[in-house]
Amino acid sequence: VLKSISLNIPFKSTTAFVGESGAGKTTLVDLITLTNENYEGEIIIDGLNSKKINKSSWRAQIGYVSQDTLIFDDTIANNISMWSGDTSNNENLLERIINAADQANILEFIQSLPNGFNTIVGDRGILLSGGQKQRLFIARELFRKPKILILDEATSALDSESEKSIQKSVEALKGRITVIIIAHRLSTIKDVDTIHLIRNGQIVESGKYSDLMNDDKSQFNKLVNLQKL
């Protein structure tokens, strides 16, 4: 599927993979998470060949957010911490939950609710909007304190306002952890460090959003214009 891919993702950087459906974006991320094995070439993680790395240990350091959120009919606190304990008698746990919510740009909304973190969100989070559910999902992953956060088209099913909220969440994470984004809506990746445009299994362009957009011959420029941004 992938051909002659060569790239470097620095620690605590933000990287986006864009391209048409079937271009190879998800396959590339599956290699990074070691879900798929490479049969040629090498995947080097912190100087070690991926073949020598314990997969479970590596994946424990990765947070993964897709467009399909899973929200439980329980409190916001338990949805974030996944029942790690009782916040009423555990201040450290509550502080971790608050920090995760803050990083996910949903703390202000939670604090505006009458019951705050003890609010029951209903079956599949029926009492929350799409953007709120997605940010709650991000907070859950951040609660685990991952070194890498992967957003797999996490905003593709959201409205523009919710999309902007998720974008703010990503911006707040810059410089804190490594963020990898598979993006369909190109408006969400304006501030990432590096964009890689993938076509037919190859990286055909790389650079910052502004640099690619200022190049009239850029394929990324044409892709953005197709979305009428």
Side-chain angles (χ1 to χ4, degrees):
V1 175
L2 301 176
K3 312 177 190 74
S4 303
I5 295 286
S6 180
L7 65 99
N8 178 51
I9 301 176
F11 183 48
K12 293 186 178 181
S13 66
T14 51
T15 301
F17 298 130
V18 302
E20 300 171 348
S21 297
K25 305 184 296 296
T26 299
T27 301
L28 185 53
V29 168
D30 286 344
L31 287 172
I32 293 172
T33 60
L34 305 184
T35 302
N36 289 343
E37 290 190 24
N38 57 304
Y39 296 101
E40 295 181 5
E42 291 182 315
I43 300 172
I44 305 298
I45 301 171
D46 286 341
L48 290 176
N49 190 299
S50 61
K51 306 287 186 183
K52 299 179 180 179
I53 291 176
N54 181 282
K55 291 182 180 179
S56 297
S57 175
W58 174 238
R59 290 170 188 159
Q61 302 179 59
I62 298 174
Y64 188 92
V65 179
S66 68
Q67 59 181 304
D68 301 316
T69 56
L70 180 61
I71 304 297
F72 301 97
D73 186 7
D74 207 316
T75 65
I76 289 176
N78 282 336
N79 266 283
I80 293 176
S81 71
M82 295 295 286
W83 300 275
S84 295
D86 186 356
T87 57
S88 64
N89 56 22
N90 190 331
E91 291 186 5
N92 289 334
L93 175 61
L94 180 58
E95 184 178 351
R96 284 185 59 196
I97 293 173
I98 291 173
N99 287 338
D102 188 26
Q103 289 182 58
N105 194 35
I106 195 174
L107 179 59
E108 185 176 345
F109 164 73
I110 296 171
Q111 291 177 332
S112 72
L113 299 172
N115 294 320
F117 283 95
N118 292 320
T119 301
I120 303 291
V121 297
D123 185 30
R124 291 174 290 182
I126 194 171
L127 300 180
L128 304 174
S129 69
Q132 289 162 353
K133 285 191 285 188
Q134 196 68 289
R135 282 179 284 159
L136 187 60
F137 197 169
I138 292 174
R140 178 190 300 164
E141 292 302 291
L142 292 175
F143 176 81
R144 296 173 46 236
K145 296 184 177 180
K147 292 185 177 180
I148 298 175
L149 180 66
I150 297 175
L151 303 176
D152 188 351
E153 299 197 1
T155 65
S156 61
L158 301 179
D159 57 70
S160 297
E161 185 175 348
S162 298
E163 181 185 76
K164 289 179 181 178
S165 296
I166 302 300
Q167 189 175 353
K168 288 181 180 179
S169 302
V170 175
E171 290 171 359
L173 295 173
K174 285 195 71 173
R176 296 187 180 188
I177 62 175
T178 305
V179 180
I180 298 173
I181 304 170
I182 297 178
H184 175 68
R185 292 185 183 179
L186 304 181
S187 59
T188 60
I189 57 170
K190 289 182 177 179
D191 295 317
V192 303
D193 296 317
T194 307
I195 297 170
H196 297 290
L197 175 59
I198 303 175
R199 178 162 291 171
N200 298 323
Q202 294 181 299
I203 294 178
V204 296
E205 288 181 349
S206 298
K208 290 184 176 294
Y209 186 95
S210 58
D211 294 336
L212 294 174
M213 280 301 298
N214 290 332
D215 183 356
D216 294 336
K217 297 180 181 179
S218 164
Q219 295 183 47
F220 180 79
N221 181 305
K222 295 177 182 178
L223 197 62
V224 172
N225 287 328
L226 285 174
Q227 293 194 5
K228 298 180 180 179
L229 296 178

